[in-house]
Amino acid sequence: MAEYNPVLNAPEGANKKKRIIGRGSSSGRGTTAGRGSKGQQSRSGGKTYIGFEGGQMPLYRRLAQKGFSNYPYKKDYICLNVSDLDAKYAEGETVDRKTLYAKGMLKSDASFIKILGDGSITKKLTVNVDKMSASAKEKIEKAGGNVTTKEPLKENKVKPAKKTAGKTEKKDHVPSAKKTSKKAEEKK
C-alpha cells in the first residue's frame, strides 16, 4: 500500500509553461512572433469570417432563399383523447395543466394541450385546456361536464360561391368619333 500523501500533485509533464512570444529575437519567438512575414494573417485583426471566399460572392449568398420557416412561431400541442381522461380522472375532477402533469399524462407542465374526441367519456369533468376539437367538446358536455378553452374553437366555415351575376360582361369596343380641334373646323 502506498504511503499517505496529504499534498496532491499533478504528474510531471501535465502542467506546461505558457509559450511567450514577441519578446526579442533571442527567445526564438521574437520578431514576427510565429506569424511569418507579411500578408493578411500576419496583421493584427487580419482574420476573416466563416464562409469568406476572398471577396468572391460566398456560397451562402449565391444560393437562392427559398420558402419560409414557421419554426419561431410553431406551437407543439400534446394531444389527449377523451378516453384517456375517462380512464385517469374520477367523477367531478378538474382537468387542467397541473392535474395532467400530476397524473403523469404530461412530461412538463409548460406544454400546450389539445383534447381530441376519440373514444367515449362517462364522467362529469371540468376541462380547462388550450384547445379542443368540436367532437371532444360535444362528448364532454353530453356527459355533463364543463369546457373552457384558451383559444376559441374554429368553426368549419363554408366559403361562399363566387358571384358571377353582379359582374358586367365586356361589351364590344366601339371606337368613338375623332374629335377635331377648333382650328381644323375653321379651315374647313
Side-chain angles (χ1 to χ4, degrees), residues 4-174:
Y4 173 70
N5 182 4
V7 181
L8 296 174
N9 294 323
E12 196 169 324
N15 299 328
K16 292 184 178 179
K17 189 180 176 185
K18 181 185 171 188
R19 177 179 278 163
I20 297 170
I21 58 172
R23 293 292 180 270
S25 58
S26 63
S27 70
R29 294 272 165 186
T31 61
T32 58
R35 286 172 171 253
S37 59
K38 299 184 190 173
Q40 184 176 11
Q41 292 179 328
S42 71
R43 318 291 188 206
S44 65
K47 293 179 181 138
T48 59
Y49 52 84
I50 294 169
F52 182 68
E53 296 184 21
Q56 172 178 302
M57 185 64 69
L59 180 68
Y60 73 91
R61 288 188 63 197
R62 287 197 301 267
L63 298 175
Q65 286 186 330
K66 186 178 179 185
F68 167 75
S69 174
N70 195 41
Y71 184 77
Y73 314 106
K74 184 174 82 167
K75 281 186 179 180
D76 281 330
Y77 284 88
I78 292 173
C79 297
L80 301 167
N81 287 305
V82 289
S83 56
D84 301 331
L85 302 181
D86 198 46
K88 291 271 186 177
Y89 283 88
E91 184 81 25
E93 280 190 297
T94 303
V95 179
D96 60 1
R97 185 175 278 109
K98 288 181 181 177
T99 58
L100 286 166
Y101 180 68
K103 291 189 184 272
M105 296 176 83
L106 297 178
K107 288 184 180 176
S108 83
D109 61 347
S111 318
F112 291 107
I113 306 152
K114 182 172 183 177
I115 307 294
L116 302 175
D118 189 36
S120 61
I121 187 163
T122 56
K123 298 167 186 165
K124 181 181 176 182
L125 299 173
T126 304
V127 182
N128 183 12
V129 291
D130 299 304
K131 267 187 172 181
M132 184 170 298
S133 71
S135 62
K137 183 179 181 183
E138 185 184 320
K139 287 180 182 181
I140 292 167
E141 287 175 345
K142 193 175 182 181
N146 297 333
V147 173
T148 52
T149 55
K150 291 180 176 80
E151 291 185 27
L153 284 172
K154 288 183 181 176
E155 295 177 12
N156 294 335
K157 294 181 180 177
V158 179
K159 290 182 180 178
K162 292 182 179 178
K163 295 179 182 178
T164 54
K167 292 184 179 178
T168 57
E169 294 179 12
K170 285 186 177 180
K171 296 178 182 176
D172 293 333
H173 178 68
V174 179

